[in-house]
Amino acid sequence: MISDKLSRDQIDGVSRLIEPAERVVILTHMSPDGDAMGSSLAVYWWLKETKQAQVIVPNVFPEFYDWMPGAQDVLICEKEPDKAQQLIDQADLIICTDFNEPKRIGQLGQMAINATCPKILIDHHLFPSDFADVTISYADVTSASELVFRLIYQITNHQLPSTNYQLPMATCIYTGLMTDTGNFAFNSNYPEVYEIIAILIAAGVDKDAAYNNIYNAHSEGRMRLVGFCLDKKMRIFPDYHASLIYISGKELYRFNFKTGDAEGIVNMPLSIKDVYYSVFMREDKVAEWEKERANGSKTKIKISMRSQGDRPVNIFCNEVFNGGGHKNASGGEFYGSLTDAVNLFLSNYEKYFKKD
Ligand code: 5GP
Ligand code: MN
């Protein structure tokens, strides 16, 4: 039996906003991952039968999400900012998934804040900012996709809606659950996750296909990049049970780097015995929309941190790298050189990492 996690107020609030809306825009976070794609597209399929729904993402998503139902219909703001602005201007309702503050979605965030229509936020990060009319935010669940499932399930009297789009919707929810838990390796230690999965599989989701489409769909370049990172770039700090990998734009270029090729590399050092913290830094170019924020720097360093157990990394990311995230999976960014970002890490890790 799946409990009613969402409150009556949240369910009523969402129903009240959704019912009269004809044009709904769904937004999710920068550099979309499986949960961003899954949660936003699940909302899209949920509403598609009765409304004009449109998912807009800030920038391109990795090719290994192309197979997801509805991925081809997603608008990429970085490529078509005028169209994104027009859709937002015309929207009756904006639904945001898998991010807690508009800053996390780049220029789309400003467009969303300026929009006068009502907004709903469905997210699982700590400290949601207060920009939405209805906020569904729980940090103790696997994913935003799980919250989308719970919302739909509760609204539809404890079942999935029997529309023509039930299967694509369920497939997107499953994909978000699977990817945000590392295929159920972490953050998924409670029975209801598996009750939800049972319902999704009963609806026809092919979980093995979802796994193969995501995890066995990389390029040769990505595989060689993984090898290079682990063999040549990984530095271990035994006293602090930590690992650091950092990689420049030039090095990435050698491996024909494409969006998504670095995904998951940060998790790998955690499979070494006695390594409990892992940090991955990647140099990127500053995009047009963030030039102001970059303060003249042409490069931006994307930082990812992972940890195990009671060793939070979100505070480090927040205080030093202007980011945040979950206790064991966080990130941030640094406008400047890779060397400066690495030095910033080196002068701070002893403060934020535990020795035991
Ligand atoms: P990833 O390392 O996969 O890019 O991000 C892991 C998690 O860290 C994300 O789910 C998100 O919660 C958080 N995160 C990553 N980058 C940022 C950032 O720049 N700012 C904030 N606030 N959170 C981030
Ligand atoms: Mn998520």
Side-chain angles (χ1 to χ4, degrees):
M1 177 64 185
I2 296 166
S3 60
D4 283 350
K5 191 172 184 77
L6 276 49
S7 71
R8 196 70 254 164
D9 278 357
Q10 288 172 325
I11 298 294
D12 291 347
V14 169
S15 305
R16 209 174 42 242
L17 293 179
I18 281 183
E19 211 165 270
E22 279 173 23
R23 281 165 296 207
V24 183
V25 163
I26 304 147
L27 308 177
T28 192
H29 67 73
M30 190 68 113
S31 308
D33 59 10
D35 188 31
M37 296 298 288
S39 56
S40 58
L41 285 169
V43 172
Y44 167 76
W45 288 114
W46 178 44
L47 300 178
K48 195 173 163 64
E49 194 137 278
T50 53
K51 313 204 179 278
Q52 276 184 47
Q54 174 71 53
V55 174
I56 310 179
V57 298
N59 58 352
V60 286
F61 51 86
E63 276 173 19
F64 50 81
Y65 298 126
D66 280 354
W67 67 276
M68 289 179 74
Q72 306 308 325
D73 304 334
V74 169
L75 183 88
I76 298 163
C77 179
E78 208 168 72
K79 286 188 179 167
E80 296 183 84
D82 296 342
K83 199 161 174 196
Q85 182 69 69
Q86 188 188 9
L87 283 159
I88 287 176
D89 287 344
Q90 292 170 350
D92 305 313
L93 177 65
I94 295 177
I95 303 181
C96 303
T97 72
D98 202 27
F99 65 91
N100 58 354
E101 46 178 348
K103 188 195 120 198
R104 284 279 286 139
I105 63 168
Q107 62 182 332
L108 252 188
Q110 204 48 52
M111 293 182 194
I113 286 178
N114 294 343
T116 50
C117 68
K119 292 156 203 122
I120 296 171
L121 172 65
I122 306 170
D123 181 46
H124 69 131
H125 297 91
L126 288 170
F127 317 124
S129 73
D130 189 24
F131 69 96
D133 299 83
V134 177
T135 300
I136 296 172
S137 167
Y138 296 92
D140 60 346
V141 296
T142 55
S143 52
S145 298
E146 178 182 332
L147 292 173
V148 170
F149 172 91
R150 288 177 178 278
L151 172 69
I152 296 170
Y153 191 74
Q154 281 186 231
I155 285 191
T156 324
N157 296 318
H158 303 101
Q159 54 189 351
L160 287 179
S162 47
T163 67
N164 289 330
Y165 303 128
Q166 189 192 72
L167 181 55
M169 184 186 79
T171 300
C172 291
I173 294 172
Y174 181 80
T175 305
L177 271 156
M178 175 182 79
T179 51
D180 253 24
T181 58
N183 199 33
F184 309 101
F186 45 79
N187 271 348
S188 44
N189 234 347
Y190 51 96
E192 287 193 1
V193 180
Y194 303 94
E195 293 183 48
I196 292 170
I197 292 169
I199 291 169
L200 297 172
I201 291 176
V205 171
D206 184 342
K207 73 177 249 315
D208 299 355
Y211 181 91
N212 276 316
N213 284 332
I214 299 264
Y215 295 110
N216 294 332
H218 290 300
S219 64
E220 180 185 335
R222 134 88 184 191
M223 207 57 192
R224 295 193 186 282
L225 171 67
V226 170
F228 176 69
C229 284
L230 299 180
D231 184 26
K232 303 281 189 260
K233 305 292 299 186
M234 184 175 66
R235 211 171 132 182
I236 302 288
F237 302 79
D239 291 353
Y240 286 84
H241 307 283
S243 157
L244 169 68
I245 296 172
Y246 56 91
I247 185 147
S248 68
K250 218 165 149 187
E251 289 168 323
L252 290 168
Y253 185 77
R254 275 170 46 195
F255 294 95
N256 199 10
F257 181 80
K258 287 196 308 296
T259 304
D261 280 358
E263 215 154 289
I265 296 178
V266 65
N267 295 93
M268 293 177 181
L270 293 179
S271 68
I272 302 169
K273 189 171 184 294
D274 296 331
V275 169
Y276 307 136
Y277 294 101
S278 172
V279 179
F280 181 81
M281 294 186 185
R282 168 170 74 82
E283 186 186 79
D284 205 350
K285 285 198 190 88
V286 167
E288 197 57 41
W289 65 268
E290 58 187 343
K291 278 203 163 134
E292 209 171 298
R293 202 189 283 181
N295 239 332
S297 174
K298 288 196 168 58
T299 55
K300 160 185 170 170
I301 314 304
K302 181 78 193 85
I303 294 108
S304 286
M305 295 198 193
R306 298 292 185 272
S307 64
Q308 286 172 341
D310 191 23
R311 296 178 189 83
V313 281
N314 47 354
I315 303 163
F316 193 171
C317 284
N318 178 254
E319 293 181 1
V320 180
F321 293 110
N322 193 29
H326 313 281
K327 184 170 94 174
N328 298 128
S330 315
E333 52 200 19
F334 175 83
Y335 291 102
S337 72
L338 185 58
T339 310
D340 285 350
V342 169
N343 285 336
L344 198 56
F345 167 80
L346 293 176
S347 55
N348 277 286
Y349 76 93
E350 290 172 337
K351 176 175 164 199
Y352 290 98
F353 289 174
K354 292 201 279 194
K355 271 188 144 175
D356 54 341

